[in-house]
Amino acid sequence: MSSALKTLQLLSHFSATSPEIGLSALCRLAKRDKATTHRHLQALEEVGFVEQNPLTRQYRLGPALLQLAQTREMTVPRKEIALPILKRLADQTGETTHASILSGTTVFALASCESTQHSTRVVIDLDRFPLHATASGLSTLAFGPDELMAVAAKNLEAFTDHTINSVESLEEMVQSVRETGFGRTIRSFEHEVSSLAAPVFDETGNLAGAVSVACVATRFSPDLERNCQEHLITASRDLTRGWGGTTPQRIEAIWAATLSKSHELETKS
C-alpha cells in the first residue's frame, strides 16, 4: 500500500500551470531518488495514467485519467450541477464566482464563472486553493474535518502582506468563520482580490466543498459584501441540494444571525 500510495501521489504534481514535468524535476518535487521515481512513473505509464511527450520526453497526464474523470462526472455530477448556479450567482453579484471541492486534505478548483458587468474582474486560474489564504480554504477549515487545521498550520505560505502568518491568527480567523458562516479574505492571496465563501455539503452530511465570490478589492464595499452574503446562501443551499445533501440547521442559524446583524448595522447607518 505504501508503494501504491507513493506512486499515485506523483499525479498530484501535475497541474494547468505544470502540465509537463521532467524526471529530474519530478524527483525534486516528490523529494525522492531518481530510480524510485522512474519506477513509479513506469507503473503509471503502463496503466495510462501518465505518458511521455515524444518531443520533450517530459511526462504528462495520460488518457486513462480522462475516462476516469468522465465516469466520475457522469456518476457524481458535481461540475454540471455547479455551472448554472455559478452563472446565476455571477449575474446577481456582478463578480467572478467559483466552486471548489474537498478531496482528502486538498481543496480543488471545480468550476468558475466570470461576470460580464465589469471590464475589470477576477480570473480564477488555480488548481488548488490554499487552506489559510483563500475564502474557500477558510470555509473548509471552519466546517470540514478537524485534521485540516494541522495540515494548514504546517504550510502558512505568505502570498501577500495580508496572508495569515501564524497558527494563532489562523485559529482566530477560522473561529470568526464559524461565527459568521462565511470564509472571508481581504487581499490575502492576491493583492487586488477580496473573497467570500460559503460551505457546501453532500449526501453524507459532511462538508463537500465551497462556493465563493471573488471581487476586485477596490469594489468590495459593505453593500457588495451584504449582497454577496445573501446570494451565497442561496447558491450554497442549491449546490448542497444538487449534490444530494441538506444544509445543516446550525449553518442556517449562523447565516440568519449574520444577516440580521448586517441589516441592523445598515439600518443604524
Side-chain angles (χ1 to χ4, degrees):
M1 284 299 295
S2 176
S3 178
L5 179 60
K6 289 180 180 179
T7 300
L8 292 172
Q9 283 177 336
L10 291 178
L11 298 174
S12 67
H13 296 291
F14 294 92
S15 66
T17 54
S18 299
E20 293 190 0
I21 308 175
L23 176 59
S24 296
L26 202 51
C27 289
R28 290 193 296 272
L29 290 170
K31 298 180 181 179
R32 301 175 196 170
D33 63 82
K34 185 168 290 188
T36 300
T37 304
H38 186 252
R39 185 172 69 252
H40 291 165
L41 284 169
Q42 285 182 314
L44 292 171
E45 191 171 15
E46 186 173 341
V47 294
F49 286 1
V50 300
E51 63 183 10
Q52 271 190 299
N53 184 326
L55 297 178
T56 65
R57 305 306 298 167
Q58 291 189 326
Y59 290 90
R60 62 192 180 193
L61 296 177
L65 292 176
L66 179 61
Q67 179 59 42
L68 291 176
Q70 290 174 338
T71 301
R72 161 73 184 190
E73 184 61 22
M74 185 182 302
T75 55
V76 188
R78 294 291 195 247
K79 187 173 183 178
E80 179 183 359
I81 290 171
L83 285 173
I85 295 172
L86 294 177
K87 173 63 168 61
R88 184 189 67 205
L89 183 60
D91 290 340
Q92 292 167 332
T93 62
E95 302 292 344
T96 297
T97 62
H98 61 91
S100 55
I101 190 164
L102 176 65
S103 179
T105 60
T106 303
V107 180
F108 290 99
L110 178 68
S112 65
C113 180
E114 296 177 25
S115 170
T116 59
Q117 294 182 30
H118 302 283
S119 58
T120 303
R121 49 187 180 265
V122 178
V123 177
I124 304 298
D125 57 0
L126 297 177
D127 297 301
R128 302 171 179 84
F129 292 92
L131 291 168
H132 69 296
T134 61
S136 298
L138 291 173
S139 182
T140 301
L141 286 175
F143 303 109
D146 293 338
E147 58 266 25
L148 291 178
M149 278 296 292
V151 176
K154 291 179 181 178
N155 183 21
L156 298 178
E157 180 181 353
F159 295 99
T160 74
D161 294 339
H162 300 278
T163 305
I164 292 172
N165 58 11
S166 71
V167 175
E168 292 76 15
S169 296
L170 180 62
E171 290 174 343
E172 290 177 5
M173 180 61 73
V174 170
Q175 182 56 35
S176 175
V177 176
R178 288 174 178 149
E179 292 172 356
T180 63
F182 298 98
R184 184 177 186 271
T185 55
I186 306 294
R187 303 176 187 267
S188 66
F189 183 68
E190 294 180 276
H191 285 287
E192 300 306 320
V193 178
S194 297
S195 297
L196 285 173
V200 179
F201 302 84
D202 62 15
E203 74 280 359
T204 68
N206 298 319
L207 181 118
V211 57
S212 179
V213 178
C215 312
V216 173
T218 54
R219 287 201 297 267
F220 194 58
S221 65
D223 286 343
L224 178 58
E225 182 171 4
R226 283 191 292 271
N227 180 53
C228 290
Q229 287 176 338
E230 292 175 356
H231 292 302
L232 272 171
I233 290 173
T234 301
S236 174
R237 288 172 180 156
D238 290 346
L239 262 179
T240 293
R241 190 179 305 111
W243 290 1
T246 301
T247 304
Q249 284 302 310
R250 63 185 178 89
I251 304 297
E252 293 283 6
I254 293 169
W255 284 339
T258 297
L259 290 187
S260 176
K261 183 177 180 180
S262 178
H263 289 313
E264 287 178 7
L265 292 174
E266 183 179 6
T267 300
K268 290 179 180 179
S269 63

